[in-house]
Amino acid sequence: MTTSEGDQGEGAGAQGTPAGDGATRPEERLEQAVRAAEKALIEFEIAVETFRVEVENFSRLHEQKLGPMYARLEELEARILEIRAARSDDPEDRRKADEARARLMPIPGVEELMNGWMDGDGLFPEATAMLTDQPVRPPQRVRPSEEARKLFRELARRAHPDLAQEEKERVRREEFITRVNAAYARGSADELRELAEEWAAGPELKRVPSPAEELYARLEWLSERKELLTVLARNLEESAIGSMLRLAPDDPDGLLEDIAAQLRAQVAEREAQLAVLQD
């Protein structure tokens, strides 16, 4: 997902606007421009929200699967530095060892932060099993299925608050979309199907033509909203997890396995170094 999706969608919509048709009222052409801009914005917003959920889910899986390995590396590094400092009695070596150990000190809520992988006393059995390649219960998957993705996108298009012409209707749509987003974040296709049925049974308000001044204001608001979404999309893409996810958008699990293999090799290297120092 890239920030150009919104621009492409808007351009596609603009191609459908008649140009130079003397028989078309200015207000009608403006209404067509607003509808095209609304459609482009909604598609862009769907793309941004979809990517945001993917980034959050990947971040959770990344922490669950790789967090214990990072913790083990830091522990080994601290122990190596402590042994070296004890042998050299060098103040600089002691400072480095103290800093490394301080980074491992327990903090309030560490168990929650590490998603049940470790606490102040060290790694849990599941984490130890993972580090030694023993069978372990895999981390919970919360990646939405293809069906859930389709249902989410369809609901977002149909019930988006930006399609409301009255404040009461906007509030109703915002409340509904909040529930849609929550169901999608949980990856629940069943909930999304129920929400689709609920929306289909609800009232459909007729679109009331707006005065030209309101249409111009609407276009301006849509443009500002698109700029905000562009910034949000860029921040997601440039974040550490977003950048990592973009390396393998079709196989994030494979990417995690590759990183895990690299971390296991680093753990083995540090353990070998520690064994030599302890001899």
Side-chain angles (χ1 to χ4, degrees):
M1 181 256 150
T2 60
T3 53
S4 61
E5 292 183 45
D7 297 327
Q8 293 172 356
E10 191 168 11
Q15 292 177 359
T17 302
D21 186 354
T24 304
R25 296 182 298 102
E27 291 82 0
E28 183 179 347
R29 287 158 51 191
L30 193 55
E31 289 171 2
Q32 292 171 347
V34 168
R35 286 195 295 270
E38 287 175 341
K39 181 179 179 180
L41 180 66
I42 290 173
E43 291 298 325
F44 188 32
E45 195 160 350
I46 289 172
V48 173
E49 176 63 16
T50 300
F51 188 61
R52 185 192 66 78
V53 170
E54 291 173 353
V55 167
E56 288 187 355
N57 288 337
F58 185 72
S59 177
R60 186 177 298 110
L61 291 172
H62 177 274
E63 186 63 39
Q64 288 176 332
K65 186 165 189 177
L66 305 184
M69 297 185 185
Y70 286 120
R72 178 60 174 165
L73 274 175
E74 291 180 353
E75 172 63 29
L76 289 169
E77 185 67 24
R79 292 172 65 184
I80 289 171
L81 290 173
E82 286 170 344
I83 292 176
R84 289 175 176 170
R87 291 182 177 181
S88 69
D89 201 24
D90 186 303
E92 181 62 17
D93 287 345
R94 172 51 55 190
R95 182 188 64 80
K96 292 179 180 178
D98 289 343
E99 288 181 352
R101 178 56 60 185
R103 287 194 291 268
L104 296 175
M105 292 296 289
I107 59 175
V110 67
E111 181 175 349
E112 179 180 357
L113 290 173
M114 294 303 293
N115 292 311
W117 284 112
M118 71 175 297
D119 60 13
D121 297 326
L123 300 177
F124 285 176
E126 292 87 350
T128 302
M130 178 174 289
L131 289 170
T132 54
D133 291 330
Q134 297 175 12
V136 64
R137 179 176 56 84
Q140 180 183 5
R141 295 175 61 90
V142 253
R143 189 170 301 123
S145 64
E146 185 60 31
E147 180 186 7
R149 287 167 61 91
K150 290 180 179 178
L151 287 167
F152 165 72
R153 295 175 69 87
E154 179 61 26
L155 280 169
R157 291 190 187 99
R158 294 170 58 190
H160 201 283
D162 290 351
L163 296 178
Q165 294 298 306
E166 298 178 355
E167 183 60 26
K168 183 178 179 180
E169 175 65 6
R170 168 176 287 278
V171 171
R172 183 177 82 92
R173 288 173 177 263
E174 287 177 346
E175 292 175 350
F176 184 80
I177 286 296
T178 297
R179 295 163 58 198
V180 170
N181 289 340
Y184 181 64
R186 289 189 291 270
S188 176
D190 290 340
E191 289 183 54
L192 290 169
R193 279 193 296 270
E194 292 177 1
L195 288 168
E197 294 175 0
E198 176 183 330
W199 184 260
E204 286 291 338
L205 300 181
K206 295 183 179 180
R207 187 181 180 87
V208 179
S210 304
E213 295 80 7
E214 292 186 4
L215 289 171
Y216 276 117
R218 179 70 168 161
L219 281 175
E220 184 177 354
W221 183 90
L222 290 167
S223 177
E224 293 174 354
R225 177 64 177 166
K226 181 188 166 194
E227 290 180 5
L228 292 174
L229 285 172
T230 299
V231 172
L232 174 59
R234 185 182 300 115
N235 290 339
L236 284 170
E237 292 170 352
E238 295 178 354
S239 67
I241 293 296
S243 299
M244 190 181 300
L245 181 58
R246 291 175 64 197
L247 293 175
D250 298 325
D251 187 21
D253 292 327
L255 176 60
L256 286 178
E257 286 300 327
D258 291 342
I259 299 174
Q262 297 174 20
L263 289 175
R264 281 192 290 268
Q266 293 178 38
V267 167
E269 180 184 353
R270 296 294 193 283
E271 288 176 337
Q273 292 178 12
L274 183 60
V276 171
L277 289 171
Q278 290 175 333
D279 287 342

